[in-house]
């Protein structure tokens, strides 16, 4: 769908220079002299490259709509990860490098994820905002210690290191934010 450059907003996906770009910043400028234009910062969805582009307000750009589908994570298949479409039950394999080494530890069997695709080609993967993990290793609890601002290091069941309150001990379940890797709260 072609749109005017003066309607570009952050979060939109554009097809430009033979690639797909997600807009990270867009500022619209109307100088006193000359025509209005849009300064657009974008990131390539496939390569991660950044782009700074200036579009005149009368320029037309191609806006792309990504298809979002629910998938379930099934298992690790060596170099790839296997996901199943929740509607059609079709399985797809995604390269570990594409998913991201920092996100793989949060994947749990049966976990629901959203995979964005363009023309049947996966473009992005969205994890749930928070996951429940078990504390498998931490320093012993010190009696009388309160939930002050001091946190202690712990190792979660997925192998990541997380800082937890000093009163928590091994075997407790915690909620961790998947985007930052930080402790959120004790799990119910």
């Amino acid at each position: 769908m072609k749109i005017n450059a003066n309607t570009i907003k952050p979060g939109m996906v554009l097809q430009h220079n033979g690639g797909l770009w997600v807009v990270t910043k867009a500022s619209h400028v109307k100088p006193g002299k000359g025509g209005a234009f849009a300064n657009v910062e974008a990131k390539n969805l496939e390569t991660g490259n950044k782009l700074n582009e200036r579009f005149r307000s009368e320029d037309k750009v191609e806006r792309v709509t990504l298809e979002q589908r629910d998938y379930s994570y099934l298992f690790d298949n060596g170099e790839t990860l296997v996901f199943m479409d929740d509607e059609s039950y079709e399985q797809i394999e995604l390269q570990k490098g594409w998913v991201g080494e920092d996100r793989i530890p949060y994947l749990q069997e049966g976990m629901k994820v959203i995979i964005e695709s363009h023309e049947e080609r996966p473009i992005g993967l969205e994890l749930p905002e928070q996951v429940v993990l078990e504390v498998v290793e931490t320093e012993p609890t010190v009696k009388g210690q309160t939930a002050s601002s001091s946190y202690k290091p712990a190792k979660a069941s997925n192998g990541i290191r997380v800082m937890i309150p000093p009163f928590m001990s091994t075997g407790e379940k915690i909620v961790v934010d998947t985007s930052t890797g930080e402790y959120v709260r004790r799990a119910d």
Side-chain angles (χ1 to χ4, degrees):
M1 168 175 90
K2 293 267 188 196
I3 61 168
N4 276 345
N6 61 354
T7 60
I8 296 173
K9 293 181 179 67
M12 286 183 171
V13 178
L14 307 175
Q15 191 155 18
H16 182 67
N17 290 346
L20 293 177
W21 302 83
V22 63
V23 177
T24 53
K25 284 184 187 172
S27 61
H28 301 280
V29 181
K30 185 166 184 346
K33 203 173 192 178
F37 59 90
N39 276 331
V40 176
E41 270 184 42
K43 184 178 176 187
N44 190 304
L45 288 172
E46 284 110 15
T47 64
N49 293 341
K50 295 198 178 198
L51 166 83
N52 284 322
E53 191 79 43
R54 179 180 278 188
F55 295 102
R56 295 187 328 248
S57 60
E58 60 270 8
D59 287 345
K60 298 275 189 200
V61 290
E62 186 70 32
R63 182 174 179 191
V64 175
T65 306
L66 298 179
E67 181 186 356
Q68 293 188 334
R69 297 188 74 137
D70 292 332
Y71 282 81
S72 295
Y73 171 66
L74 296 179
F75 58 90
D76 184 330
N77 196 18
E79 290 297 310
T80 60
L81 301 168
V82 181
F83 296 86
M84 180 181 67
D85 186 320
D86 288 349
E87 288 177 25
S88 68
Y89 302 110
E90 286 180 39
Q91 292 183 7
I92 62 167
E93 292 189 33
L94 300 175
Q95 296 292 324
K96 285 185 175 181
W98 184 85
V99 172
E101 295 296 327
D102 55 329
R103 298 163 68 179
I104 292 173
Y106 295 109
L107 289 171
Q108 299 169 355
E109 208 172 290
M111 175 185 275
K112 303 286 185 212
V113 298
I114 296 171
I115 295 180
E116 294 178 317
S117 56
H118 177 254
E119 296 174 355
E120 302 297 317
R121 195 175 86 236
I123 297 294
L125 180 130
E126 220 175 278
L127 292 174
E129 286 181 25
Q130 300 175 341
V131 293
V132 176
L133 301 171
E134 185 178 336
V135 177
V136 293
E137 185 182 299
T138 188
E139 298 165 6
T141 303
V142 178
K143 197 166 179 77
Q145 197 138 35
T146 60
S148 65
S149 61
S150 65
Y151 279 68
K152 64 181 181 179
K155 186 176 180 182
S157 53
N158 65 351
I160 67 157
R161 297 248 172 232
V162 63
M163 298 299 282
I164 61 172
F167 59 84
M168 296 191 78
S169 59
T170 304
E172 291 194 62
K173 300 232 185 264
I174 57 172
V175 175
V176 176
D177 186 309
T178 56
S179 59
T180 62
E182 293 177 353
Y183 166 85
V184 177
R185 60 183 161 78
R186 180 184 262 162
D188 301 328

